[in-house]
Amino acid sequence: MSDTILVFALCLYLAATLIHGSNESNQRKPHIVYMGDVPDPEVSVTNVHLNLLSKAIGDEQIARESKIHSYGKSFNGFVANLLPHEAKKLSEEDGVVSVFENTRRKLHTTRSWDFLRMPTSWKLRNPKVESNIIVALMDTGIWVDSPSFSDKGFGPPPPKWKGKCDKGSNFTGCNKKVIGARYYNLDKSFPIEEDPTPADYMGHGTHTSSTAAGVSIHDASLYGIAKGTARGGVPSARIAMYKVCWSGGCTDMDILAGFDDAIHDGVDLISVSIGGPSRDFFEDPIAIGAFHAMKKRILTSCSAGNGGPDLFSVENVAPWVLTVGASSMDRDFRVDIQLGNGIKIAGNGINTYSTKKKMYPITSGTLAGNLTGNSTYYTGNTSACDHGTLSQDKVKGRIMYCLGNSGQDSTIKQLDGVGAIMSVTELLDVYYITLLPGSLVVVNDGNKIDRYINSTKNPKAMIDRSRSVNMTAPFVASFSARGPQMINHNILKPDVVAPGLNILAAYTTLTSLTGDPSDNRRPGYNIISGTSMSNPHAIAAAAYVKSFHPDWSPAAIKSALMTTATPMKTKDKTGKLGSGAGQINPVRAVHPGLIYDISFSSYIRFLCKEGYNSTALNKLIGDKGHSCSSFKPVHGTDGLNYPSMHTRINSTQTRFSAIFYRTVTEVGTGSSSYKAIVRASKGLSIEVVPRTLNFSRLHEKKSFKVIVKGNSAEAGPWSRSGALVWSDGKHSVKSSILIYKFSELI
Ligand SMILES: *[C@@H]1O[C@H](CO)[C@@H](O)[C@H](O)[C@H]1NC(C)=O
Ligand SMILES: *[C@@H]1O[C@H](CO)[C@@H](O)[C@H](O)[C@H]1NC(C)=O
Ligand SMILES: *[C@@H]1O[C@H](CO)[C@@H](O)[C@H](O)[C@H]1NC(C)=O
Ligand SMILES: *[C@@H]1O[C@H](CO)[C@@H](O)[C@H](O)[C@H]1NC(C)=O
Ligand SMILES: *[C@@H]1O[C@H](CO)[C@@H](O)[C@H](O)[C@H]1NC(C)=O
Ligand SMILES: *[C@@H]1O[C@H](CO)[C@@H](O)[C@H](O)[C@H]1NC(C)=O
Ligand SMILES: *[C@@H]1O[C@H](CO)[C@@H](O)[C@H](O)[C@H]1NC(C)=O
Ligand SMILES: *[C@@H]1O[C@H](CO)[C@@H](O)[C@H](O)[C@H]1NC(C)=O
Ligand SMILES: *[C@@H]1O[C@H](CO)[C@@H](O)[C@H](O)[C@H]1NC(C)=O
Ligand SMILES: *[C@@H]1O[C@H](CO)[C@@H](O)[C@H](O)[C@H]1NC(C)=O
């Protein structure tokens, strides 16, 4: 994707796996031994862990050498280098929930808040409460010197704060805005290239932090592009950075260490813009961390991943996580191109360079090939301006016209070209920043340029700096990961979408805009895309809701964001599998009317239904003597009071029915009467019992059931959607309903 950082990280990661990629079975590898809830404070966790390890390995000395780290502040567990049979032995031990190999995960932004109509006026905010809210981010560190993190006007950190600030050479330390910053690098087998400090060498963490909680900066822009006020969603909130990602990726053991500290440090919300293949909930470090956070009433929001528009690409799908896809804003970036014959062409892209309306000679890759080159060595495509196919003489001082979009700007810059116009068959919604004046054009316009070049002796052209234009929004970004998820077939993911396309926010100056060594632009802002960028919008919206309702549970906040979300303006064929409930609307979410709450024990009952057995659950609860049989069993298709309703039907079934049991809590006026309004696509019948819910007091709960029936006789992929809206005339509490069948699936 255009997320250059992601690509950069992946390249380093791949390079590293090639070097370290030996898989001999006699070599110990780091494993996480997860043991559930926090241990009894009386016992020394390190001793318990060492004893367990010695028993499994059979040698105390080797056990000591093998152990890497003990967790124990917010949950119980440790990391150790293990052989496969030692890992298996440990997984059978009493007290151990799961043992899994340490893997590497990857990283997945001024106007976006205006687009979401977030108020700037203090009257519409709760700055006192907001300044006691601490937003934690698991990311690449932070560049504290950015004006977005100025602590002017901030008081001391809230009294509940117990976190730390790791100082280091290029890290100047924390302030009253960025109150905590730590780094984690437990996996010594994978040396890091940067200084071991919380400083952000990659830009990603600075971008996400400032999107979530940066202070307002007037007249922020990227060289005049996307000019406006840059501000975080909750500018009064505090930031705590947990640096778990390095240029080589983010390891499971570091992510867990970040959660272990963050939960203990007293943060209110956790943002994780990191992902990897979905795994069973208790073998997935983000699901485990978020579970223990939820138990302490801390909401975790995660990016859904950038694997879209393919189906089945969504990541971070645990039901206690807010899973966030990426939507567009109403802004697009136009690059105006003018040819020597007067023809004007509207290109797209992010071009920070102004050509001061100067015309330069233009030629095409086809005409600039290096005919004396070693064509058996360079098998590239000259028309596409592939690396090694062009003659420097013919490129130097010229704008190049090339077919396709494969990062030719780098090649052209190396050959002293002055511009790059790339002709593409399909213009995607996401752009990357070119290393020299550049633009994407659609094929028809590209052919016009090519014909002009062929038609005259001295063709010339001009590429202007990008300018912002309006477009219809929101729609789901092409790269945003889509459902259905594969871990639980009854929970719709992503939950919501938030702006994640071409987002301007603060950026580190420890690297250039593009990360390319030849690039020396370090303006302190950058425009990047990804669900990494949408996720901090969602966590800030959650923090905003929390500033009005400090006592709400993570599930209540999530419900408020989901039931008030805005539907997509431009639909794509993946529908709700891409957008979930829709785009967050933080202002409406403050007054949702009703909420679908989920308590800790409801999640346990859900896990019992999912087949997690009592032994494992006992350790998660930390409360001995509980078992699934001591809880009231849950009924219905999903067994969870989720704000959306979803199931996958059996591919051999034709007629189907699903039943969803739900309970809503009145959080509006206290006395109200809600009526059910149902919308269903053809072939789906949705019945709600009862159809009216009358409340006489605040916090009163009412239960109802939703019966969804239909006929899926058609072969092939099949899905039907609908919605249930509870309306009292003032509030519309909307739940998305989606039933699907994929016949290709076993
Ligand atoms: C790694 O494992 C695979 C499959 O288990 C095996 O085919 C391969 O030879 C192994 N490579 C090394 C270097 O041990
Ligand atoms: C980081 O700090 C080291 C040592 O203080 C210094 O040599 C280096 O240039 C700094 N790196 C950057 C990118 O500023
Ligand atoms: C053409 O390519 C060869 C290498 O194959 C290179 O040595 C030569 O400098 C190139 N010529 C020009 C004009 O770029
Ligand atoms: C072309 O490149 C190949 C691979 O590097 C090399 O074996 C061959 O000798 C080169 N041919 C010429 C004419 O330079
Ligand atoms: C060169 O690349 C362009 C764009 O990808 C493609 O349309 C064209 O067919 C390619 N030409 C050759 C000779 O491969
Ligand atoms: C321009 O000329 C090149 C080289 O002769 C040719 O390959 C290309 O098709 C021409 N383009 C158009 C639009 O006619
Ligand atoms: C774009 O939208 C903004 C805000 O809705 C409006 O003020 C402006 O006039 C629009 N610009 C164009 C070119 O339509
Ligand atoms: C729980 O699962 C573990 C491992 O799968 C098994 O050893 C244990 O007997 C199970 N416990 C119960 C109560 O079913
Ligand atoms: C799917 O439906 C068939 C026929 O009704 C049944 O035999 C099968 O067990 C079902 N599979 C699942 C996973 O429910
Ligand atoms: C709920 O309240 C409405 C309006 O106040 C009333 O018409 C209706 O009968 C009540 N329904 C129930 C089930 O109490």
Side-chain angles (χ1 to χ4, degrees), residues 78-401:
F78 61 94
V79 195
N81 284 313
L82 299 172
L83 292 172
H85 77 271
E86 293 162 355
K88 183 162 183 295
K89 218 160 157 188
L90 274 167
S91 71
E92 287 158 1
E93 281 290 338
D94 216 30
V96 173
V97 178
S98 58
V99 179
F100 53 96
E101 212 177 298
N102 180 54
T103 57
R104 257 162 211 284
R105 281 161 198 270
K106 56 187 197 288
L107 294 163
H108 279 212
T109 193
T110 25
R111 248 180 47 75
S112 51
W113 288 116
D114 294 329
F115 173 62
L116 291 173
R117 301 192 197 294
M118 277 284 262
T120 42
S121 156
W122 293 125
K123 276 189 212 132
L124 296 168
R125 303 193 76 101
N126 230 344
K128 261 227 178 82
V129 185
E130 195 179 299
S131 75
N132 280 324
I133 290 180
I134 306 168
V135 179
L137 296 105
M138 306 279 155
D139 217 301
T140 62
I142 189 165
W143 182 58
V144 180
D145 305 317
S146 166
S148 291
F149 306 127
S150 158
D151 66 353
K152 206 172 146 217
F154 279 81
K160 65 185 173 189
W161 174 243
K162 286 189 279 185
K164 285 192 195 159
C165 190
D166 295 334
K167 291 198 187 89
S169 54
N170 292 320
F171 189 70
T172 47
C174 295
N175 61 20
K176 285 178 273 178
K177 173 75 188 174
V178 180
I179 59 173
R182 310 203 58 179
Y183 67 90
Y184 303 87
N185 170 34
L186 293 170
D187 190 354
K188 301 296 182 219
S189 70
F190 195 87
I192 51 166
E193 289 163 19
E194 309 97 311
D195 281 347
T197 75
D200 182 9
Y201 287 89
M202 297 169 72
H204 190 275
T206 302
H207 204 278
T208 55
S209 306
S210 64
T211 300
V215 300
S216 289
I217 305 293
H218 294 293
D219 256 352
S221 74
L222 182 65
Y223 298 103
I225 308 171
K227 204 173 186 130
T229 298
R231 59 181 167 120
V234 278
S236 300
R238 318 295 180 122
I239 294 168
M241 172 56 64
Y242 296 83
K243 178 172 176 175
V244 299
C245 295
W246 306 84
S247 52
C250 332
T251 66
D252 290 353
M253 59 170 113
D254 288 344
I255 294 169
L256 277 169
F259 270 105
D260 196 21
D261 281 340
I263 296 165
H264 170 263
D265 290 348
V267 307
D268 295 290
L269 304 120
I270 300 177
S271 167
V272 188
S273 289
I274 302 170
S278 289
R279 292 201 297 241
D280 184 274
F281 299 141
F282 296 110
E283 293 183 3
D284 179 326
I286 297 173
I288 292 172
F291 180 83
H292 291 280
M294 174 272 291
K295 197 178 174 193
K296 289 275 157 63
R297 296 177 76 82
I298 301 165
L299 175 65
T300 303
S301 84
C302 295
S303 46
N306 296 345
D310 292 349
L311 298 175
F312 303 103
S313 49
V314 66
E315 299 171 3
N316 295 322
V317 299
W320 44 86
V321 160
L322 176 65
T323 311
V324 187
S327 53
S328 65
M329 288 196 288
D330 55 355
R331 175 185 65 198
D332 198 9
F333 294 109
R334 185 64 41 83
V335 178
D336 296 317
I337 297 168
Q338 200 176 327
L339 305 180
N341 60 0
I343 289 182
K344 287 183 178 158
I345 283 166
N348 286 74
I350 305 175
N351 170 29
T352 70
Y353 299 99
S354 165
T355 46
K356 302 207 169 68
K357 312 272 176 199
K358 188 168 176 296
M359 288 273 178
Y360 285 94
I362 181 171
T363 187
S364 63
T366 317
L367 300 176
N370 178 353
L371 302 175
T372 62
N374 185 339
S375 61
T376 51
Y377 180 61
Y378 294 118
T379 54
N381 177 337
T382 307
S383 308
C385 306
D386 281 354
H387 181 77
T389 63
L390 302 181
S391 157
Q392 179 160 25
D393 295 349
K394 294 174 186 160
V395 174
K396 192 173 176 182
R398 291 191 172 83
I399 293 173
M400 297 303 300
Y401 167 75

Side-chain angles (χ1 to χ4, degrees), residues 299 322 496 538 541-542 545 556-565 584-586 589:
L299 175 65
L322 176 65
V496 289
V545 172
I557 295 172
K558 189 171 147 178
S559 169
L561 289 170
M562 287 172 71
T563 60
T564 59
I584 52 163
N585 184 338

Side-chain angles (χ1 to χ4, degrees), residues 330-569:
D330 55 355
R331 175 185 65 198
D332 198 9
F333 294 109
R334 185 64 41 83
V335 178
D336 296 317
I337 297 168
Q338 200 176 327
L339 305 180
N341 60 0
I343 289 182
K344 287 183 178 158
I345 283 166
N348 286 74
I350 305 175
N351 170 29
T352 70
Y353 299 99
S354 165
T355 46
K356 302 207 169 68
K357 312 272 176 199
K358 188 168 176 296
M359 288 273 178
Y360 285 94
I362 181 171
T363 187
S364 63
T366 317
L367 300 176
N370 178 353
L371 302 175
T372 62
N374 185 339
S375 61
T376 51
Y377 180 61
Y378 294 118
T379 54
N381 177 337
T382 307
S383 308
C385 306
D386 281 354
H387 181 77
T389 63
L390 302 181
S391 157
Q392 179 160 25
D393 295 349
K394 294 174 186 160
V395 174
K396 192 173 176 182
R398 291 191 172 83
I399 293 173
M400 297 303 300
Y401 167 75
C402 314
L403 297 181
N405 174 14
S406 53
Q408 301 96 325
D409 54 325
S410 165
T411 301
I412 294 165
K413 190 176 179 190
Q414 278 168 25
L415 298 174
D416 299 325
V418 297
I421 298 173
M422 277 98 49
S423 164
V424 292
T425 44
E426 194 192 3
L427 198 57
L428 287 181
D429 45 10
V430 59
Y431 313 128
Y432 66 95
I433 297 179
T434 47
L435 284 164
L436 73 182
S439 176
L440 298 171
V441 295
V442 291
V443 160
N444 273 349
D445 288 337
N447 287 338
K448 278 186 211 158
I449 298 173
D450 204 15
R451 271 200 299 274
Y452 164 67
I453 292 170
N454 286 358
S455 73
T456 174
K457 227 186 189 141
N458 292 308
K460 283 183 175 348
M462 184 212 59
I463 302 174
D464 209 349
R465 179 156 48 204
S466 298
R467 62 185 171 90
S468 306
V469 293
N470 294 348
M471 67 173 172
T472 308
F475 58 84
V476 177
S478 56
F479 58 79
S480 186
R482 269 52 169 197
Q485 60 147 311
M486 295 304 280
I487 304 294
N488 185 296
H489 296 156
N490 300 321
I491 308 282
L492 179 62
K493 293 281 178 173
D495 292 305
V496 289
V497 290
L501 192 57
N502 303 325
I503 303 293
L504 174 74
Y507 207 67
T508 187
T509 58
L510 296 173
T511 186
S512 69
L513 270 191
T514 55
D516 188 288
S518 76
D519 189 355
N520 46 26
R521 291 169 294 175
R522 298 180 181 211
Y525 291 93
N526 203 348
I527 295 175
I528 46 181
S529 299
T531 52
S532 279
M533 282 65 241
S534 58
N535 183 41
H537 281 92
I539 203 73
Y544 179 68
V545 172
K546 197 177 167 73
S547 73
F548 290 89
H549 307 287
D551 56 329
W552 279 12
S553 72
I557 295 172
K558 189 171 147 178
S559 169
L561 289 170
M562 287 172 71
T563 60
T564 59
T566 311
M568 297 296 101
K569 268 263 176 57

